[in-house]
Amino acid sequence: MSVRFEDLALPLKTGPRLAIAIPSSLVSEVFDFIERTRKVGYVGRAAAIFRVEELMVYVDDAPENARFIEDVLRYLDIPPYLRKRLVTVNPNLRHAGALPPLKAVHHVPQAFGVNIREGVVIAADDVRSVVYVGLDKNVIVYKPLAVGKRVTVEIEKDLPRQYLGKVVEKSSIKLYWGYEVKVFNSVAELFKHLKGKGYAILCASKKGSMIYSVENELSKTLKNVEKVCIVFGGPKLDIDEIAEKHSINIQEYCEIIANFIPRQGVESVRTEEAILIVLAIVNYLKEKL
């Protein structure tokens, strides 16, 4: 059976589940808050392009930097039509207007022919709830829900004054539906979490094995595991250097430490640039499986 182009173009959730981990020092050398915001936005957009489902932030310098990254990434994942209803005043978001639009499926489902939308409950009684989903009419769900709660609903019927729908779990949606954000107090805490939850851990470092020499090993890993986390370093230190600084033997945690940019033509590659490059290679290898 031939595969249609439309099927290949769909942003389906394909295995393994992808996560990336970035350090709080990502923004440590950027003092202009507009540029800081934009830098984090590039990370969020790269994650969405390559269907990353978890963005993990580990503290390697100031905890307030991790909070800034977390706030911006969470904001970016919220569909624009819900932001005024879900986001409170936050100084970390004062330059949110500088963020690039995400335009993932859960932001513009109509562009992908999807009748599932993110919404917020605006009224409820013991029998039903009214959900605002950014359309001309609200969705009625026959289920009592907490007012102010963010929910995912599938629209089932179009009535003159309202839509009828049902709440669905994000895990049941076959298309990529945005990312979650988690914060860890240290790189040690991050590694312990990943190991304990069964992630295959890949580390991106210029001191790692050249990608072409571990390509087969990486492909096998992607084929045989359910969850993969790619760990990145920051503007001053690669992940192996950050681990060494905290007395961590990175070999105990990382399945593969790879240099994804052989013969890089610049002194240093920014973290947000490295994320795009690494995820493009991993996406290519995933699609070959």
Side-chain angles (χ1 to χ4, degrees):
M1 180 182 294
S2 62
V3 179
R4 298 180 306 169
F5 169 77
E6 290 80 2
D7 296 330
L8 293 174
L10 285 174
L12 296 171
K13 293 176 183 174
T14 57
R17 177 185 174 97
L18 276 185
I20 62 173
I22 58 175
S24 58
S25 60
L26 171 78
V27 296
S28 63
E29 294 185 332
V30 185
F31 302 104
D32 180 272
F33 270 83
I34 296 178
E35 287 304 314
R36 270 191 169 206
T37 302
R38 191 175 286 125
K39 189 181 188 76
V40 177
Y42 292 150
V43 172
R45 185 154 169 82
I49 289 171
F50 294 107
R51 294 165 293 145
V52 172
E53 296 186 55
E54 290 180 285
L55 272 163
M56 303 180 184
V57 184
Y58 63 91
V59 176
D60 71 324
D61 62 352
E64 56 266 28
N65 285 342
R67 181 58 187 270
F68 177 84
I69 296 169
E70 177 188 15
D71 287 348
V72 174
L73 287 175
R74 287 189 189 279
Y75 177 87
L76 185 61
D77 184 66
I78 298 172
Y81 61 84
L82 290 182
R83 288 171 181 168
K84 287 185 178 180
R85 294 176 180 264
L86 292 176
V87 181
T88 57
V89 176
N90 183 339
N92 283 340
L93 300 175
R94 61 183 179 271
H95 296 299
L99 288 169
L102 205 61
K103 290 196 173 182
V105 184
H106 63 305
H107 284 207
V108 286
Q110 66 279 3
F112 294 86
V114 177
N115 62 343
I116 301 173
R117 295 185 69 90
E118 289 294 291
V120 60
V121 180
I122 57 175
D125 56 26
D126 294 337
V127 177
R128 64 180 190 170
S129 302
V130 181
V131 183
Y132 171 77
V133 294
L135 297 175
D136 57 331
K137 296 178 288 191
N138 295 321
V139 180
I140 304 299
V141 174
Y142 280 92
K143 182 178 182 179
L145 299 166
V147 174
K149 179 181 176 65
R150 179 178 171 178
V151 293
T152 307
V153 297
E154 181 177 356
I155 298 174
E156 298 180 302
K157 193 171 184 179
D158 184 359
L159 299 178
R161 294 186 179 181
Q162 62 201 19
Y163 295 106
L164 293 183
K166 65 179 180 180
V167 175
V168 296
E169 295 295 326
K170 292 182 181 179
S171 59
S172 69
I173 302 172
K174 294 182 179 181
L175 298 180
Y176 174 71
W177 208 256
Y179 54 74
E180 299 176 9
V181 183
K182 298 177 181 176
V183 177
F184 298 88
N185 293 320
S186 66
V187 67
E189 185 179 291
L190 168 73
F191 279 137
K192 288 177 182 177
H193 168 81
L194 294 174
K195 206 71 173 177
K197 295 295 183 179
Y199 288 80
I201 305 173
L202 311 177
C203 292
S205 170
K206 61 178 175 287
K207 299 185 188 69
S209 302
M210 293 299 171
I211 181 60
Y212 49 78
S213 68
V214 293
E215 180 180 343
N216 291 338
E217 183 183 355
L218 177 53
S219 293
K220 289 179 182 177
T221 298
L222 294 173
K223 185 176 182 178
N224 295 323
V225 302
E226 293 183 359
K227 298 183 291 185
V228 172
C229 183
I230 308 166
V231 186
F232 294 87
K236 291 183 178 180
L237 301 175
D238 278 349
I239 180 56
D240 51 310
E241 295 168 326
I242 294 173
E244 183 179 359
K245 181 180 176 182
H246 292 82
S247 302
I248 295 171
N249 181 0
I250 199 170
Q251 302 290 345
E252 293 181 6
Y253 294 97
C254 290
E255 312 249 344
I256 299 172
I257 305 173
N259 180 340
F260 286 83
I261 317 170
R263 304 185 194 277
Q264 67 184 51
V266 293
E267 181 183 11
S268 60
V269 177
R270 295 172 181 173
T271 303
E272 65 272 25
E273 295 169 337
I275 290 170
L276 273 170
I277 294 164
V278 172
L279 288 178
I281 293 171
V282 169
N283 186 64
Y284 166 73
L285 294 176
K286 280 181 62 179
E287 290 298 311
K288 284 179 65 179
L289 297 178

